[in-house]
Amino acid sequence: MDVNAAVAAAAAIAGVLTGVIAMLAFRWSEREQKRPTRTSLHTDPVLPPGVDTVLSVLRSSAVVLDEADAVVKASSAAYALGLVRGGRLSVEPMLKMARDTRRDGEIRQVELDLPRRGTGRGEALAVSARVAPLGSRLVLLLVEDLTEARRIEAVRRDFVANVSHELKTPVGALSLLSEAVMDASDDPEAVERFAGRMQIEATRLTNLVQELIDLSRVQNDDPLEDAEPVRVDELVAEAIDRCRHQAGAKQITMAAGGTADLHVWGNRGQLAAALGNLVENAVNYSPARTRVGIAARRVTSPGGDLIEVAVTDQGIGISEKDKERVFERFYRVDPARSRATGGTGLGLAIVKHVAASHGGEVTVWSAEGQGSTFTLRLPEAGAARDRAQQHPDLDDLDDEAGESHPESSPYEPLPAPEVLP
C-alpha cells in the first residue's frame, strides 16, 4: 500500500507540473503573437486600404518605402527597371528624395538619366521620379519611363529641322532665279536658261511636298481599312511604267520576272508607291547601260506564306555604315548625287512605313561598286493561297523559281517576260 501511495503521489505531482508548464507555454505563445515581427513591420502597418489595388493598376513603376528605407511594396515594373534590388531602393538620388520627403512632407519630382540594366553600351534610361508621403510613416515613389517619349521628340525635332532645310533650298533658288530673270529681261537666252532652272526647282519643291504628304498619310492612315487583293505583277508593271522615261534616257534595261499570279492584301495605292520608289531609286542610282531587275516569288514562313519582291540594280552600292540609315527620313548616301537626281531622301522612309503597316518588312543587301538589292516582303492574300493549293502546277513553278539565294550575293532576277530596250 505504501508503494501504491507513493506512485499515486508522484503521478499527481507530475500532472500538476504538466499543467503549470502548459499554462506558461500558452501565455508565452499569446505574448509572441502580439509582439510585432520584422515581417509585420514591413507588410502589416502597411498600406492604407485600397492603395495596394491602386498601385497594381498604375502604368508607372511604384515603390513604397517605410521609415527605415526598406521596400514595403514594389511593382514588377520597378524590378524590371532595376529600381529595387535586394529589398532596397538601388537609385541613390531617388532614395535621397524619399528621405527628404519623409522629413518635411513635401512632394518632389525630378528627371534622371539612369544606366540601362544589363547593357554594356552605356545607353541612358530617361525617367521621371515623383515622391510623395503616404500616411504618417510611408513614402510613395512613382517612376515614369520617358525614354521612348524622348526618342520620338528627338525624331520630331530632327524632322522639322530637315523639312525646313529642304524647303528653304528650292524656295531660295526660285527667289534668286526670279530676280535673275527680271534683271535679264532684255536677254532672251538668259531668260530661257533661268526659266529652265526655275522649272527644275519648282518640280523638286512639288516632289518634296508630295512625298511629305505621302509619308504623313502612310503614318497616320490604316491601310487595311480599304484593303483588297492586289496582283503583284500589276504593281511591278506600274512601277516599270513609272520609270520608263528615266530608264530610257540612261539606256537602262528593266527586266521583270518571277512567279506569276501572286497576290498581296493591302492598299493598292500605297503598295504601288512603295514598289515604285524602290524601282525609281534603282534607276536613278544606276550608271547608264546597266540592268535593273524586279523579281517576285512566294516564300514559306512560320506565320504564313509571304510574297517577296526584290529590286536589283548594278549601281554604286551602299557602304556598311550607310545601310543602317538608308530608311531614315531625309538621309542620303550621296547628297550631291541625290540632289542631281531630284531625290528628297523620303522615298525609302515611305517604303519602310508601308511595309510595316501591311505586316511586312523591307531589307537591303548591298556592296560598294556591286549594286544593291532591296527586298519587300508582304503577307500573301488568303485567296491566292487557296488558288495555289487547287493548282499544283503553280506550286511546281514556285519551287523552281523560289530557290534560296546566298546572303553574300544579290538576288538575280528570273527570266524576264518584259524588257525595256
Side-chain angles (χ1 to χ4, degrees):
M1 291 296 294
D2 293 339
V3 174
N4 292 335
V7 171
I13 293 172
V16 171
L17 291 175
T18 300
V20 171
I21 293 172
M23 180 62 69
L24 292 175
F26 177 74
R27 292 294 177 85
W28 181 82
S29 175
E30 281 189 332
R31 184 180 301 174
E32 286 298 314
Q33 291 179 1
K34 293 179 180 180
R35 180 182 300 172
T37 64
R38 180 176 300 179
T39 303
S40 66
L41 285 175
H42 293 264
T43 57
D44 291 342
V46 143
L47 302 174
V51 172
D52 194 8
T53 303
V54 173
L55 295 182
S56 65
V57 299
L58 285 178
R59 297 179 60 182
S60 305
S61 303
V63 181
V64 179
L65 304 176
D66 64 10
E67 66 273 15
D69 292 332
V71 175
V72 176
K73 174 75 176 179
S75 64
S76 57
Y79 286 99
L81 289 178
L83 304 179
V84 178
R85 298 177 186 175
R88 310 289 294 186
L89 186 63
S90 62
V91 182
E92 188 61 33
M94 295 182 186
L95 189 59
K96 182 179 183 305
M97 287 174 57
R99 291 168 179 168
D100 293 342
T101 296
R102 185 184 299 111
R103 184 181 63 253
D104 56 25
E106 291 187 5
I107 299 175
R108 288 174 168 81
Q109 183 169 352
V110 67
E111 292 188 3
L112 301 170
D113 291 333
L114 308 177
R116 269 188 200 274
R117 185 177 181 182
T119 63
R121 296 178 292 177
E123 296 179 351
L125 187 71
V127 299
S128 174
R130 185 177 179 87
V131 181
L134 187 64
S136 58
R137 297 172 49 191
L138 305 178
V139 173
L140 172 63
L141 171 66
L142 295 177
V143 179
E144 190 77 25
D145 187 356
L146 303 178
T147 308
E148 184 65 14
R150 283 194 180 180
R151 186 192 67 80
I152 293 174
E153 176 61 22
V155 170
R156 185 198 63 79
R157 191 166 52 247
D158 293 343
F159 180 72
V160 172
N162 286 328
V163 168
S164 301
H165 173 74
E166 295 296 332
L167 288 174
K168 282 171 60 179
T169 301
V171 169
L174 287 171
S175 177
L176 292 174
L177 288 168
S178 64
E179 293 179 5
V181 169
M182 293 177 63
D183 294 339
S185 58
D186 56 349
D187 186 351
E189 292 184 0
V191 170
E192 184 177 355
R193 184 172 65 255
F194 292 144
R197 287 295 307 168
M198 291 178 70
Q199 284 185 334
I200 293 174
E201 295 299 333
T203 300
R204 177 176 296 171
L205 182 59
T206 301
N207 292 339
L208 176 59
V209 172
Q210 184 58 52
E211 291 201 341
L212 286 172
I213 294 172
D214 293 341
L215 180 60
S216 176
R217 182 178 295 118
V218 301
Q219 286 181 309
N220 297 327
D221 294 350
D222 182 3
L224 301 183
E225 284 185 357
D226 301 320
E228 59 179 336
V230 181
R231 290 179 59 93
V232 175
D233 52 2
E234 291 180 359
L235 295 177
V236 172
E238 188 173 334
I240 290 176
D241 189 62
R242 168 177 168 178
C243 305
R244 190 179 297 274
H245 176 71
Q246 299 97 306
K250 298 173 67 174
Q251 297 181 353
I252 292 176
T253 300
M254 288 196 295
T259 306
D261 198 30
L262 297 178
H263 292 72
V264 293
W265 185 264
N267 183 292
R268 180 186 177 82
Q270 292 189 14
L271 293 174
L275 186 57
N277 285 345
L278 292 180
V279 176
E280 186 174 15
N281 276 358
V283 171
N284 287 338
Y285 288 92
S286 293
R289 293 180 295 278
T290 55
R291 185 170 183 262
V292 171
I294 307 100
R297 64 172 184 170
R298 179 187 292 112
V299 294
T300 303
S301 71
D305 289 350
L306 298 175
I307 301 303
E308 186 176 89
V309 184
V311 180
T312 302
D313 64 59
Q314 298 172 320
I316 59 176
I318 306 171
S319 65
E320 286 294 329
K321 66 181 182 65
D322 289 322
K323 280 196 293 187
E324 298 180 358
R325 302 191 59 190
V326 292
F327 296 102
E328 295 180 11
R329 303 180 189 93
F330 296 108
Y331 185 79
R332 298 182 177 94
V333 175
D334 186 350
R337 186 182 182 94
S338 182
R339 290 192 183 278
T341 59
T344 62
L346 291 174
L348 291 179
I350 292 174
V351 175
K352 177 183 176 181
H353 282 287
V354 170
S357 63
H358 284 76
E361 63 173 352
V362 59
T363 59
V364 58
W365 177 96
S366 187
E368 291 183 278
Q370 299 183 32
S372 305
T373 297
F374 285 85
T375 304
L376 183 63
R377 296 186 182 91
L378 299 167
E380 183 181 20
R385 284 199 300 270
D386 295 339
R387 283 196 298 271
Q389 294 173 358
Q390 296 171 6
H391 299 282
D393 54 329
L394 288 181
D395 292 335
D396 295 338
L397 178 60
D398 295 341
D399 293 338
E400 295 174 5
E403 296 177 359
S404 61
H405 298 271
E407 291 290 333
S408 59
S409 63
Y411 190 143
E412 291 294 335
L414 297 173
E418 176 180 355
V419 175
L420 175 67

